[in-house]
Amino acid sequence: MDIAERIRIGTSGYSFADWKGAFYPETIKQSAMIEYYSRVFDVAEINFTYYRMPTARSFETLISRTDPAFGFFVKLHGDMTHGRTGEIKLFEDFVSALAPLEKSGRLLGLLAQFPASFRRNPDNISYLIWMRRFFDRFRFVAEFRHA
């Protein structure tokens, strides 16, 4: 496979009001942004999942508004990375919501974006190992926000 076939280009999110006029037409509705975005890029990081739990329906909508070759990286909910309660139901509900993306082959991976306070220590290493095992069937990426 040629390297150009393996490279995907996208951004961390796609629905930003301040992109109107700079990237999007001034009059675009938020609901139409993913369609417009997907004509330029072939992957997007889904950020709303950090702030609110996703539903299968929300991912079905994204699938229906993008080309079958378009892929998604999904950011984990903030309670998983910043709250770090390890509440299993939260993780199960999140994975359940991913079903449409997973079934369609459009889920490229999951992103765990940790806060600057997440430092290397035995508890955090254990939590990372637990998360990796829980999400074992997914590509899993961790982002650390400190040196």
Side-chain angles (χ1 to χ4, degrees), residues 56 59 74 93-103 107 110 138:
F59 291 130
V74 179
D93 289 349
F94 193 89
V95 168
S96 179
L98 294 171
L101 287 179
E102 190 176 12
K103 183 178 177 182
L107 178 62
L110 304 177
F138 304 104

Side-chain angles (χ1 to χ4, degrees), residues 24-145:
Y24 294 117
E26 288 281 351
T27 58
I28 196 167
K29 293 180 180 176
Q30 186 172 355
S31 61
M33 288 180 171
I34 189 64
E35 293 169 59
Y36 186 97
Y37 175 96
S38 69
R39 290 192 294 263
V40 178
F41 299 104
D42 64 354
V43 64
E45 177 186 315
I46 304 304
N47 285 320
F48 76 82
T49 53
Y50 174 83
Y51 301 101
R52 66 181 193 275
M53 277 301 279
T55 63
R57 180 72 188 121
S58 61
F59 291 130
E60 289 166 356
T61 299
L62 289 173
I63 290 167
S64 73
R65 293 183 175 172
T66 54
D67 184 270
F70 191 86
F72 300 92
F73 255 90
V74 179
K75 187 181 285 187
L76 296 184
H77 191 274
D79 287 346
M80 298 173 174
T81 55
H82 289 59
R84 296 192 297 278
T85 63
E87 182 184 330
I88 194 72
K89 180 155 178 25
L90 177 71
F91 286 79
E92 290 170 344
D93 289 349
F94 193 89
V95 168
S96 179
L98 294 171
L101 287 179
E102 190 176 12
K103 183 178 177 182
S104 69
R106 312 269 298 277
L107 178 62
L108 300 179
L110 304 177
L111 170 63
Q113 184 186 62
F114 289 96
S117 62
F118 191 85
R119 302 290 179 162
R120 184 184 177 116
N121 64 49
D123 287 341
N124 288 344
I125 290 171
S126 293
Y127 189 68
L128 278 172
I129 292 168
W130 180 86
M131 286 181 86
R132 180 67 213 128
R133 288 181 180 148
F134 185 87
F135 294 120
D136 67 339
R137 72 179 191 259
F138 304 104
R139 178 179 292 156
F140 183 76
V141 177
E143 178 182 334
F144 305 103
R145 302 179 73 145

